[in-house]
Amino acid sequence: MSTYIIRRLLQGMVILVIISFVCYYLTTLAGNPISQYTNNPRISKEDRARIERDLGVDQPFVVQYTRWLGRVVRGDFGFSFTTKQPVGEIIAQRLPKTLVLAGVAQLVVVTIALIVGVLQAVKQYSWFDNLITALSFIGFSMPIFLIALSMILIFAVGAKDLSRQPGMGWFPYLPTGTAVWDEKNPLEWVRHLILPVASLAIIQVAGYSRYVRSAMLEVLSQDYVRTARAKGLLEKVVVSRHALKNAALPFITIIGLDIPFLLGGAIVTEQVFSWSGMGRLFVEYAGKSDYPVIMGVLMLVAVAVVIFSILTDVVYTFFDPRIKLS
């Protein structure tokens, strides 16, 4: 297994270099950080040229990319063009919030999807299965911004004037530009997490539960499951020990592919709920064409994809001993 992991890591390094090249090229095409000074009458052409030299964006693309890659290899992602802060510090300030939001959401999603998917498979074509299937299609087809805004309007907006604000006012909502809530209070974290987690869970549970149901139905029809039932084992033992373990492989694959992208933040959800995570960070600095910060976020996601793809393969061996990594 160690040989396999080392080989995959070496392959991942090559992939990361290719990804970094493509992302850096597309980032430079998307905008110029000097464009914000173009319509400023106080800044002359000479000043703009000096700023370009200071930022290094006056150099050819190959020179810019080579310098950036050389710094990244040494663990230095550079400084933000706009705030002059180290990119590592900026990401370190936002990443914990995204990890909390994404971690809680993923835990909720996996738990509910497993329970619902297994029950659907066991009670195939029952009223419960048909109801959840219909709700899954509805939830999966709804855009995330519509779900998030609906959550805010129904559960978060205050209810002082019922004719103008019909919301229940159960949970807090801070529009962009309002005062920051007390992040040192655990209860405040919980209260502010409920709506964004629920918004993410509605869509993800709808998709995940379908995978679990499909995989369970396939496994429940196998000979070894019928044999286990013929031996007189309880149905819950057959489902949990024999069927679910083998049906988990496709589910593990989906989770392993989704988790790395959660590190990049739930862009729409974080924007709607004013959650200062990686998603909002990316949007804010993408609008300013701040190459170092944009590339820092993109490379964080790319590294996570490589690592979690390897971890997913390793986890396979624990669920299915027939799988050998060599």
Side-chain angles (χ1 to χ4, degrees), residues 65-130:
Y65 173 73
T66 304
R67 290 179 177 176
W68 174 84
L69 184 61
R71 292 194 301 267
V72 170
V73 171
R74 299 191 299 270
D76 179 15
F77 281 89
F79 292 81
S80 167
F81 288 162
T82 53
T83 63
K84 310 303 179 185
Q85 287 181 276
V87 174
E89 292 184 4
I90 297 175
I91 292 178
Q93 293 171 0
R94 301 290 191 97
L95 185 58
K97 295 182 180 180
T98 289
L99 291 177
V100 171
L101 176 60
V104 173
Q106 195 70 8
L107 181 62
V108 171
V109 167
V110 170
T111 303
I112 296 178
L114 281 174
I115 296 173
V116 171
V118 170
L119 289 177
Q120 280 187 272
V122 173
K123 302 179 182 295
Q124 186 183 15
Y125 301 134
S126 65
W127 68 267
F128 176 80
D129 182 27
N130 293 330

Side-chain angles (χ1 to χ4, degrees), residues 63 184 240 305:
V63 176
K184 296 182 180 180
S240 60
V305 169

Side-chain angles (χ1 to χ4, degrees), residues 21 30 60 102 104 109 118 163 191 193 214 223 230 237 249 254 259 270 296 298 321:
F21 180 85
V104 173
V109 167
V118 170
S163 63
R191 294 178 69 236
L193 269 173
S214 177
D223 292 338
V237 175
L249 292 180
I254 300 300
I259 289 180
E270 291 183 5
L298 292 176

Side-chain angles (χ1 to χ4, degrees), residues 228-245:
R229 286 170 172 162
K231 290 180 178 180
L233 295 178
L234 296 176
E235 184 65 17
K236 63 179 181 180
V237 175
V238 174
V239 172
S240 60
R241 293 186 182 180
H242 295 270
L244 182 57
K245 187 175 181 179

Side-chain angles (χ1 to χ4, degrees), residues 5 32 51 107 109 134 157 171 203 260 296:
I5 294 176
N32 191 327
I51 295 173
L107 181 62
V109 167
V157 175
F171 304 105
I203 289 182

